[in-house]
Amino acid sequence: MGNLLRYSRTAIFFHWLMAAMIFVAFAMGLYMVDLRISPDKLKLYAWHKWIGVSVFVLAAFRLWWRLLNAPPPALPMPAWQRVVSERIHQLFYLCFFAVPITGWLFSSAKGFPTVFLGIVQLPDLIQKNDEWAPWLK
């Protein structure tokens, strides 16, 4: 009965892997933004983009997994807490996709290609656009 009240190992793996990646990408972003332009800064930007692309792909797998595997039953709680919990969960899924896409759009608007793992150049989502870049940032 205890296993019926827990998420699957796969769901737990997706949860913690994405949490770690998001934490690292956020911390890296805070650190690198104030660095002077240098090869090290450009390397950090590349790694930041790689993590963002990976989060996007993992979010798709995580959503696919979630749609095919029901979560354990919710613990007893007032209806308003259940609604808030569901909305926050939906907001997280929205952010899993929106944040990497916004970063990709910003990179495209600035004219900087996104090259995943230094191997696969992803297409620009928009053409270089100096007016949109600050808004996307």
Side-chain angles (χ1 to χ4, degrees):
M1 178 101 179
N3 283 344
L4 294 176
L5 299 177
R6 291 183 48 103
Y7 281 92
S8 69
R9 288 180 188 217
T10 303
I12 293 168
F13 172 77
F14 277 136
H15 171 87
W16 287 111
L17 178 60
M18 289 191 61
M21 292 174 74
I22 290 167
F23 177 79
V24 168
F26 184 76
M28 186 182 295
L30 289 176
Y31 171 73
M32 70 186 187
V33 73
D34 290 329
L35 294 176
R36 345 181 296 280
I37 193 73
S38 69
D40 286 338
K41 181 175 183 170
L42 295 177
K43 181 171 49 173
L44 288 174
Y45 268 87
W47 293 351
H48 183 80
K49 289 179 183 186
W50 298 351
I51 294 171
V53 171
S54 298
V55 165
F56 181 83
V57 170
L58 281 172
F61 279 115
R62 182 176 174 162
L63 181 59
W64 171 76
W65 178 262
R66 173 62 182 80
L67 293 172
L68 296 177
N69 297 275
L75 298 174
M77 66 180 81
W80 71 269
Q81 287 179 350
R82 185 177 325 280
V83 169
V84 170
S85 172
E86 289 170 1
R87 295 305 171 263
I88 289 173
H89 201 89
Q90 292 165 353
L91 182 62
F92 277 136
Y93 272 95
L94 176 67
C95 288
F96 290 158
F97 292 100
V99 172
I101 287 173
T102 303
W104 189 358
L105 284 166
F106 172 67
S107 194
S108 297
K110 289 296 282 184
F112 298 122
T114 299
V115 184
F116 185 62
L117 301 176
I119 301 169
V120 180
Q121 182 166 341
L122 302 179
D124 288 334
L125 295 180
I126 58 174
Q127 292 182 350
K128 188 173 189 298
N129 188 321
D130 292 329
E131 292 178 23
W132 284 22
W135 183 78
L136 290 165
K137 187 177 183 183

